[in-house]
Amino acid sequence: MVLSAADKTNVKGVFAKIGGQADDYGADALERMFVTYPQTKTYFPHFDLGKGSAQVKGHGKKVAAALVEAVNHIDDLAGALSKLSDLHAQKLRVDPVNFKLLGQCFLVVVATRNPGLLTPEVHASLDKFLCAVGTVLTAKYR
Amino acid sequence: MVHWSAEEKQLITSVWAKVSVEECGAEALARLLIVYPWTQRFFSDFGNLSSPTAIMGNPRVRAHGKKVLTSFGEAIKNLDNLKGTYSRLSELHCDKLHVDPENFRLLGDILVIVLASHLGRAFTPVCQCAWQKLVGVVAHALAHKYH
């Protein structure tokens, strides 16, 4: 799966529009993931996962920052996410299926907060991008 | 048998009341064909699917999307017997249409996104949770008669 020039333009457009709210989008996506897919909470036994949790907000900010970094280096996702890829392979070892779940929740967040932004073409590009990020983060698992 | 809490049923029916079955059905199917283009393999006789614009405007896509979502409406009226409700359709999708059940999961996820875009913030996390459960259970019911 390769990101076309149009995909890259679409994804950059989304994150340009989201701008400084990326942190909120990240936190919202995580909250939705924990509610909708409770098994994902198993990776955060050390977190307070209650509504409005500062830890979830903080982690959402981290996730958003990683996505923004990926977008800013969209021509070299493997390079941009290399350290995070190592971290997920060696320490975190989040099962690969979970990246799809977070991706779904991120798309839902964009849809609820900015429906006009998520045209079918942009939806396709963003879905591809999130898949590509998940693939990179799990690439060194074995 | 799947258990639905009173809250889940309320979340499902209240969202459904706000949905235009024709619009959301058409949009969900069109987005499936656009976001996951390999799903077009089942619709080779639908005419022009050459671009997102063509797909969104394709009258056969719209009609079929409406048909699919109308069937969801039946599911919502029969939450306590989804396997029974979808028994005939399950056999049809296996024996005649030869559709990999993975496609039901893909369409379910797309439907949730379409609902989210129509309802905005009203599509709360617990709303999403109830609907992801529903689309998952519908997909399972549709796959149940596969052999």
Side-chain angles (χ1 to χ4, degrees), chain B residues 71 85-94 97 104 141-142 146:
Chain B
S71 158
T85 303
Y86 278 112
S87 177
R88 189 191 59 80
L89 272 176
S90 181
E91 286 168 0
L92 180 77
H93 281 78
C94 174
L97 304 177
F104 309 141
L142 271 171
Y146 273 57

Side-chain angles (χ1 to χ4, degrees), chain B residues 6 8 21 25 28 30 32-33 48 58 61 64 71 75 86 89 93-94 102 115 131 133 145:
Chain B
E8 284 171 330
V21 170
L32 179 75
L33 299 175
N48 187 5
N58 185 309
V61 170
H64 196 68
S71 158
Y86 278 112
L89 272 176
H93 281 78
C94 174
E102 179 60 23
L115 293 174
W131 272 85
K133 179 176 171 179
K145 283 290 174 70

Side-chain angles (χ1 to χ4, degrees), chain B residues 44-62:
Chain B
S44 53
D45 60 338
F46 267 32
N48 187 5
L49 299 178
S50 61
S51 71
T53 311
I55 292 170
M56 292 293 281
N58 185 309
R60 291 199 60 185
V61 170
R62 297 190 68 84

Side-chain angles (χ1 to χ4, degrees), chain B residues 5-74:
Chain B
S5 71
E7 194 202 357
E8 284 171 330
K9 288 186 180 183
Q10 201 272 327
L11 288 165
I12 288 167
T13 52
S14 70
V15 165
W16 190 249
K18 298 180 189 146
V19 161
S20 155
V21 170
E22 179 160 2
E23 275 312 307
C24 284
E27 193 181 341
L29 187 63
R31 281 179 185 258
L32 179 75
L33 299 175
I34 292 164
V35 177
Y36 307 114
W38 55 92
T39 58
Q40 293 171 26
R41 70 189 298 284
F42 301 108
F43 302 101
S44 53
D45 60 338
F46 267 32
N48 187 5
L49 299 178
S50 61
S51 71
T53 311
I55 292 170
M56 292 293 281
N58 185 309
R60 291 199 60 185
V61 170
R62 297 190 68 84
H64 196 68
K66 179 182 173 185
K67 197 177 186 182
V68 168
L69 207 60
T70 301
S71 158
F72 246 86
E74 279 310 298

Side-chain angles (χ1 to χ4, degrees), chain A:
Chain A
M1 179 193 49
V2 171
L3 295 176
S4 69
D7 288 329
K8 293 176 186 179
T9 304
N10 286 339
V11 172
K12 283 178 187 278
V14 168
F15 280 83
K17 194 84 208 296
I18 289 174
Q21 292 178 66
D23 293 354
D24 286 343
Y25 278 57
D28 195 348
L30 281 178
E31 186 195 345
R32 285 176 182 274
M33 186 184 71
F34 293 137
V35 168
T36 306
Y37 309 109
Q39 67 272 23
T40 58
K41 295 191 290 186
T42 58
Y43 293 97
F44 298 90
H46 53 300
F47 266 29
D48 160 27
L49 296 176
K51 198 158 167 38
S53 154
Q55 284 177 306
V56 173
K57 281 196 168 71
H59 198 68
K61 196 172 166 180
K62 263 191 195 170
V63 169
L67 287 176
V68 168
E69 179 73 1
V71 172
N72 290 337
H73 297 89
I74 203 165
D75 291 323
D76 179 21
L77 287 178
L81 295 171
S82 180
K83 287 205 172 65
L84 269 178
S85 181
D86 291 337
L87 181 72
H88 282 77
Q90 291 155 20
K91 187 154 175 286
L92 303 177
R93 291 172 292 184
V94 172
D95 192 282
V97 310
N98 294 288
F99 295 96
K100 189 177 191 309
L101 303 182
L102 183 57
Q104 168 72 1
C105 290
F106 192 83
L107 286 166
V108 169
V109 171
V110 176
T112 57
R113 289 174 175 245
N114 220 318
L117 193 54
L118 205 68
T119 63
E121 293 91 331
V122 169
H123 178 172
S125 298
L126 192 54
D127 189 79
K128 276 175 82 174
F129 168 73
L130 294 167
C131 277
V133 168
T135 299
V136 166
L137 289 177
T138 57
K140 301 178 195 175
Y141 273 31
R142 57 177 172 171

